[in-house]
């Protein structure tokens, strides 16, 4: 199975190509009282800062944990006011009861949750929040566009086993997995549809960052965009799960 080291290899492309999270996500986090000035936030799997930047802009004080040294270096250069620690969510040293909010943005599927959930629980203050979300690249509720039909054709021949754990849009299963240990309780679940127009080169870059796409498949996807006129409209989803820290030490 591909691993997160793929992102380290493509760090420059990742920083350039990964789209931002939708504005309605940030509005909801603010409405829920998670994203407020002065909030102490622990971000796990921060990458190059697609989630870090809006949190900093909202006045949060962020400690970002990122296992890739190159990704972490880019994160530091973009946001010098953020404390960045190179390490995994499973092993990076974390202070106890130091954060009101923890965040995992398009990263929780890489975690050993049996190890990570107790660590996040300890790092949060009583009543603290754990917000988990991801960008899902493709909205199955939207009729397939010609480009999405081509993407389906490209991936149809794959024979590798699916990634362990719930599927990208199996939010109910993710809530169960994130709460079964008793460290957290669900408080808010929602998903945000959005769309973005991408050029041939933007599709080439973005799909290069996908850990389950090889170079030949990326070239085929970029070629499909070119054949379709050089720009395509992509429909994406961002599921959000907000959990609250359960009582106890």
């Amino acid at each position: 199975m591909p691993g997160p080291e793929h992102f380290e290899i493509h760090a420059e492309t990742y920083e350039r190509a990964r789209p931002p999270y939708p504005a309605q996500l940030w509005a909801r986090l603010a409405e829920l009282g998670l994203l407020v000035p002065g909030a102490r936030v622990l971000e796990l799997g921060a990458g190059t800062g697609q989630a870090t930047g809006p949190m900093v802009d909202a006045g949060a004080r962020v400690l970002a944990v990122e296992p890739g040294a190159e990704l972490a270096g880019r994160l530091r250069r973009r946001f010098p006011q953020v404390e960045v620690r190179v390490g995994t969510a499973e092993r990076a040293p974390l202070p106890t009861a130091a954060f009101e909010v923890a965040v995992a943005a398009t990263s929780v599927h890489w975690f050993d949750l049996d190890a990570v959930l107790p660590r996040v629980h300890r790092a949060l203050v009583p009543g603290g929040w754990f917000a988990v979300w991801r960008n899902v690249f493709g909205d199955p509720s939207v009729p397939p566009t010609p480009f999405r039909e081509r993407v389906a054709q490209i991936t149809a021949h794959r024979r590798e086993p699916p990634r362990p754990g719930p599927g990208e849009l199996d939010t109910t299963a993710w809530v169960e997995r994130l709460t079964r240990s008793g460290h957290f309780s669900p408080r808010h679940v929602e998903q945000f549809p959005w769309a973005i127009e991408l050029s041939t080169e933007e599709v080439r870059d973005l799909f290069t960052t996908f850990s389950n796409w090889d170079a030949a498949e990326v070239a085929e996807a970029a070629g499909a965009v070119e054949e379709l006129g050089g720009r395509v409209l992509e429909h994406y989803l961002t599921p959000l799960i907000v959990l609250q820290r359960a009582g106890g030490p």
Side-chain angles (χ1 to χ4, degrees), residues 28-224:
R28 182 70 72 239
L29 292 174
E31 290 172 5
L32 293 171
L34 278 69
L35 196 58
V36 297
R40 297 172 296 170
V41 177
L42 168 65
E43 185 183 4
L44 300 172
T48 55
Q50 282 72 15
T52 316
M55 293 192 292
V56 169
D57 290 343
R61 294 179 289 160
V62 180
L63 169 62
V65 175
E66 167 51 49
E70 178 63 27
L71 292 163
R74 290 176 177 275
L75 183 62
R76 285 194 183 100
R77 290 191 290 274
R78 291 181 70 188
F79 306 106
Q81 68 273 59
V82 170
E83 181 181 355
V84 179
R85 295 186 180 177
V86 178
T88 65
E90 294 82 0
R91 299 183 64 87
L94 302 175
T96 299
F99 306 95
E100 285 84 30
V101 180
V103 164
T106 315
S107 59
V108 75
H109 51 291
W110 295 112
F111 298 166
D112 175 357
L113 290 174
D114 291 334
V116 171
L117 291 173
R119 303 190 83 231
V120 175
H121 185 272
R122 286 193 297 270
L124 289 170
V125 299
W129 303 94
F130 186 21
V132 176
W133 69 83
R134 66 179 300 157
N135 278 342
V136 177
F137 298 99
D139 181 349
S141 72
V142 175
T145 63
F147 177 65
R148 275 287 133 186
E149 291 175 345
R150 293 290 294 275
V151 168
Q153 292 169 8
I154 293 168
T155 59
H157 69 279
R158 292 178 177 173
R159 294 294 180 265
E160 74 269 16
R163 180 180 291 155
E168 289 185 320
L169 288 171
D170 195 348
T171 305
T172 299
W174 274 112
V175 171
E176 191 280 329
R177 181 65 187 89
L178 290 163
T179 58
R180 73 168 64 153
S181 67
H183 291 95
F184 294 94
S185 300
R187 289 294 179 264
H188 185 86
V189 178
E190 189 174 3
Q191 68 180 20
F192 305 100
W194 54 287
I196 187 171
E197 190 175 73
L198 299 172
S199 69
T200 301
E201 286 308 309
E202 286 169 333
V203 165
R204 188 188 310 277
D205 282 348
L206 177 59
F207 281 48
T208 294
T209 71
F210 295 164
S211 60
N212 59 338
W213 279 69
D214 63 31
E217 291 174 332
V218 169
E220 193 172 349

